[in-house]
Amino acid sequence: MKLSQFRFDLPLNLIAQHPTKKREDARLMVVHRSTGQIENKHFRDIMDYFDDKDVFVVNNTKVFPARMYGRKEKTGAKIEVFLLRELNKPNRLWDVIVDPARKIRVGNKLYFGENDELIAEVIDNTTSRGRTIRFLWDGTDEEFRNMLEFLGETPLPKYIKRKPEAEDKERYQTVYAKHEGAVAAPTAGLHFSIELIKRLEIKGIRFAEVTLHTGLGTFRPIEVEDLSKHKMDAEYYKIDDLSCKVVNKAIEGKHRICSVGTTTMRAIESSYTADKLLKPSEGWTNIFIHPPYQFNIADSLVTNLHLPKTSLLIMVCAFAGYDLAMEAYRKAIKDKYRFFSYGDAMLVI
């Protein structure tokens, strides 16, 4: 398939700028693959589609405050520094993106905080905007983390046209977030409140956790028309033995497995056996799922509404079927669903 087949016109006023008042109050479009039926519901209604012993697989990655603002030495020019990943803990080496990049060269020092609480030195160019920086810090690792937390801000995507507010610290994070390392929230999971999870568990539904640290590569524009030539950035994932036992018991009992989010789907599709069971593993995955694709573990998917021509939309089309998914998106626009990170959800079953 070609990239141009995943184009659609999205009115900008449908891009959600704030989350709904309560997590499960978001709308939910339910797409039935077997019949082509599309229903308009609310996220709390997701309970009606699952039964005792079904399993939700969720991504327990935790977003860290990855966006920082520093000043360049001598000139004092304001520089945005977006932390991507820690490369070396003892030496405090980080992979970052800087903006504007043309001003930042190897050897430059950057100062963060009103009183220069943190200083970093640029030690390498990785891409046109990418740099490797070393934080100059003598304190403990815990103090360093606390300083990043103090100076960094919630990394809301650029299409949210406002400054992060206090509520974003909580709302741009799933209620089950545990392992820090993501620079973007696994947004399908944002609709689950603690109360909704409890109600699902009372119904007999199990939860299995995997970890995939979402990087910016997930959102990088695809620049090739031939999808088979697109390369995804590698992202770290981990699937433990306990989660595999929960999922595999459900598969063997012919119960439903629901992947909460495209990041969860990428993790579980990176680690399965010849018998189509989930297997424990840890490492880096750059799997790019596009039509046609045979899914191996999950038979249902919760996901948000995505940008045109993105790897996320392309995966949804692979799962739901291209024609049905694009019809659902046309209906979502017509019915004024809210799009992207703080937007509404879709359940494909």
Side-chain angles (χ1 to χ4, degrees):
M1 296 197 80
K2 301 281 185 262
L3 180 65
S4 50
Q5 290 173 265
F6 298 92
R7 205 193 137 272
F8 62 88
D9 292 321
L10 179 69
L12 292 178
N13 66 330
L14 295 185
I15 299 175
Q17 298 297 312
H18 290 270
T20 49
K21 199 165 166 61
K22 287 172 70 177
R23 289 177 184 265
E24 66 263 46
D25 284 351
R27 294 169 74 193
L28 177 70
M29 176 178 279
V30 184
V31 179
H32 297 263
R33 292 186 290 175
S34 56
T35 62
Q37 183 194 6
I38 299 173
E39 301 178 277
N40 290 334
K41 298 281 184 177
H42 283 92
F43 197 81
R44 56 183 172 270
D45 302 323
I46 197 166
M47 292 186 64
D48 302 339
Y49 297 89
F50 295 91
D51 291 312
D52 182 30
K53 298 189 177 65
D54 288 344
V55 172
F56 280 101
V57 189
V58 299
N59 182 3
N60 64 14
T61 187
K62 190 174 186 181
V63 180
F64 64 94
R67 188 174 280 124
M68 300 173 69
Y69 294 95
R71 294 177 308 285
K72 192 180 167 190
E73 63 177 335
K74 299 192 178 88
T75 66
K78 187 177 176 183
I79 307 293
E80 180 186 305
V81 177
F82 196 98
L83 305 178
L84 289 179
R85 64 178 74 90
E86 190 172 37
L87 299 173
N88 182 303
K89 202 172 198 149
N91 293 326
R92 314 226 187 271
L93 291 182
W94 283 75
D95 208 358
V96 303
I97 288 174
V98 292
D99 188 26
R102 67 186 188 286
K103 297 180 175 178
I104 303 303
R105 298 190 174 86
V106 172
N108 287 161
K109 283 201 172 72
L110 300 170
Y111 294 84
F112 300 90
E114 282 180 26
N115 302 307
D116 300 342
E117 285 91 344
L118 197 54
I119 302 170
E121 184 179 8
V122 181
I123 60 168
D124 196 13
N125 287 341
T126 50
T127 62
S128 59
R129 292 174 59 214
R131 302 288 185 272
T132 302
I133 66 173
R134 178 192 289 121
F135 285 105
L136 310 175
W137 180 261
D138 295 329
T140 66
D141 195 53
E142 188 184 352
E143 289 166 341
F144 176 64
R145 290 275 157 188
N146 290 341
M147 186 53 72
L148 291 186
E149 188 77 30
F150 172 67
L151 293 172
E153 69 177 34
T154 304
L156 293 181
K158 292 281 193 189
Y159 51 70
I160 292 180
K161 305 288 185 194
R162 61 176 177 81
K163 293 290 285 175
E165 296 161 12
E167 75 158 354
D168 294 310
K169 218 175 178 69
E170 182 218 341
R171 293 300 301 273
Y172 194 65
Q173 197 83 271
T174 62
V175 295
Y176 45 74
K178 275 186 193 152
H179 301 296
E180 195 169 83
V183 300
T187 55
L190 297 180
H191 307 294
F192 286 92
S193 64
I194 290 165
E195 296 75 25
L196 180 59
I197 290 172
K198 281 276 179 289
R199 293 203 299 274
L200 288 161
E201 287 176 338
I202 289 165
K203 195 172 179 179
I205 291 154
R206 302 286 307 274
F207 281 78
E209 297 183 4
V210 301
T211 305
L212 184 138
H213 292 323
T214 324
L216 281 187
T218 299
F219 307 97
R220 179 163 294 157
I222 298 174
E223 289 166 345
V224 288
E225 177 67 359
D226 178 354
L227 294 183
S228 65
K229 292 190 165 57
H230 177 62
K231 297 279 186 289
M232 291 284 281
D233 286 5
E235 293 168 321
Y236 169 84
Y237 78 97
K238 183 176 183 178
I239 301 172
D240 66 21
D241 196 45
L242 176 63
S243 293
C244 292
K245 285 193 172 104
V246 172
V247 169
N248 293 339
K249 188 178 173 188
I251 291 173
E252 284 159 355
K254 305 241 180 316
H255 299 289
R256 184 165 262 161
I257 307 292
C258 180
S259 171
V260 177
T262 56
T263 56
T264 302
M265 188 71 87
R266 291 183 64 233
I268 62 181
E269 285 297 319
S270 299
S271 186
Y272 59 87
T273 68
D275 299 329
K276 298 203 170 180
L277 295 172
L278 192 60
K279 69 175 182 188
S281 68
E282 178 179 9
W284 295 79
T285 181
N286 63 354
I287 185 171
F288 173 39
I289 297 173
H290 56 87
Y293 184 86
Q294 184 65 49
F295 289 83
N296 297 283
I297 302 292
D299 53 23
S300 46
L301 170 68
V302 177
T303 185
N304 275 30
L305 292 154
H306 305 294
L307 273 163
K309 300 202 295 190
T310 54
S311 64
L312 309 159
L313 170 66
I314 290 167
M315 184 196 292
V316 174
C317 288
F319 191 80
Y322 174 79
D323 292 334
L324 182 57
M326 295 309 274
E327 182 193 338
Y329 266 69
R330 283 191 291 276
K331 180 173 167 55
I333 291 167
K334 183 169 147 290
D335 293 349
K336 297 198 163 30
Y337 271 70
R338 299 159 74 247
F339 275 66
F340 311 145
S341 297
Y342 276 152
D344 297 316
M346 178 186 282
L347 168 64
V348 185
I349 53 177

